[in-house]
């Protein structure tokens, strides 16, 4: 059931992003801390896999660099492990207060959070369980994986609708790479016990 629900959310997200692209609008990543680092990586994924620029911003940078330029039809992709990141919630509130009609897609671990329940048109769950460690290793890895899949699904949608120049063989290569991740993680764990 969770797989079907997440698959439906992913399709809705792709539809929002396709509409954004067709209207010549902008998509932004906004996140803090470790989630911001995941957003920076995701900017590379979206560029290479889907052929679309989605720039990552810290909330303060977004306010100073983008807030007045946000237009109706833009998409803000928030990333938050807790779903309670105050700076991120403040950005959503400021965009809304400015009367901008944007879509909010959020990647969150806590699906019962403020961001998931109150600040999202669509939220994509991480399903990685509670994060206890300060470095957020588990949630960071899951964020990277979910964002990679989001870029891949978007690339597939854009290829079907001729919205980007990404070639099918490129998408196939990235899709195949996704399947190698469990094996690579296992190999890393097996080869690094002394360092760990």
């Amino acid at each position: 059931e969770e797989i079907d629900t997440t698959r439906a959310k992913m399709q809705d997200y792709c539809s929002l992003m396709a509409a954004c692209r067709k209207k010549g609008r902008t998509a932004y990543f906004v996140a803090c801390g470790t989630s911001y680092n995941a957003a920076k990586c995701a900017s590379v994924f979206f560029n290479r896999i889907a052929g679309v620029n989605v720039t990552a911003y810290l909330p303060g940078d977004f306010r100073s660099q983008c807030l007045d330029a946000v237009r109706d039809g833009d998409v803000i992709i928030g990333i938050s492990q807790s779903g309670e990141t105050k700076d991120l919630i403040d950005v959503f509130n400021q965009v809304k207060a400015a009367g901008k009609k944007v879509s909010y897609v959020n990647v969150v671990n806590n699906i019962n959070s403020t961001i998931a329940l109150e600040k999202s048109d669509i939220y994509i769950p991480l399903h990685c369980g509670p994060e206890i460690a300060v470095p957020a290793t588990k949630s960071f890895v899951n964020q990277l994986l979910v964002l990679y899949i989001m870029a891949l699904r978007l690339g597939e949608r854009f290829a079907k609708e001729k919205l980007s120049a990404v070639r099918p063989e490129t998408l196939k290569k990235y899709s195949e790479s996704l399947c190698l991740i469990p094996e690579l993680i296992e190999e890393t764990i097996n080869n690094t016990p002394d360092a760990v």
Side-chain angles (χ1 to χ4, degrees):
E1 188 177 304
E2 286 176 349
I3 291 170
D4 291 340
T5 301
T6 301
R7 186 175 288 124
K9 289 174 187 267
M10 199 70 78
Q11 289 173 349
D12 292 343
Y13 137 80
C14 286
S15 295
L16 281 178
M17 291 294 285
C20 178
R21 178 83 166 201
K22 288 174 186 173
K23 293 176 185 172
R25 297 300 191 248
T26 305
Y28 309 89
F29 286 120
V30 185
C32 297
T34 306
S35 297
Y36 172 72
N37 293 328
K40 292 293 282 182
C41 293
S43 291
V44 176
F45 301 159
F46 277 64
N47 176 47
R48 292 191 180 163
I49 298 171
V52 63
N53 175 35
V54 184
T55 304
Y57 294 94
L58 291 163
D61 293 340
F62 180 84
R63 279 193 286 277
S64 63
Q65 296 174 33
C66 305
L67 189 60
D68 294 332
V70 171
R71 299 180 293 165
D72 291 351
D74 285 352
V75 176
I76 297 176
I77 303 172
I79 306 169
S80 172
Q81 191 282 125
S82 68
E84 300 294 345
T85 309
K86 184 176 182 333
D87 287 345
L88 188 54
I89 292 169
D90 289 347
V91 164
F92 298 155
N93 291 339
Q94 286 176 304
V95 171
K96 185 176 181 179
K100 309 292 175 98
K101 293 179 176 67
V102 304
S103 296
Y104 300 96
V105 177
N106 289 298
V107 177
V108 297
N109 190 37
N110 181 356
I111 61 172
N112 295 311
S113 63
T114 301
I115 290 175
L117 299 177
E118 299 175 22
K119 304 296 178 186
S120 300
D121 293 308
I122 299 166
Y123 70 85
I124 309 292
L126 294 175
H127 291 305
C128 67
E131 182 61 73
I132 296 165
V134 172
T137 310
K138 180 173 59 170
S139 58
F140 178 71
V141 169
N142 277 38
Q143 286 172 341
L144 290 179
L145 184 59
V146 167
L147 291 162
Y148 187 96
I149 293 168
M150 289 172 71
L152 187 57
R153 293 298 169 258
L154 190 61
E156 292 165 353
R157 172 75 177 257
F158 280 9
K160 279 184 196 170
E161 297 185 20
K162 309 264 190 284
L163 292 173
S164 79
V166 176
R167 296 166 29 179
E169 57 271 17
T170 301
L171 290 170
K172 183 178 180 200
K173 177 183 84 170
Y174 284 113
S175 183
E176 289 170 352
S177 295
L178 180 65
C179 296
L180 297 175
I181 291 173
E183 181 182 324
L184 291 170
I185 290 173
E186 183 177 2
E187 185 179 320
T188 301
I189 289 169
N190 291 336
N191 290 331
T192 59
D194 293 341
V196 171

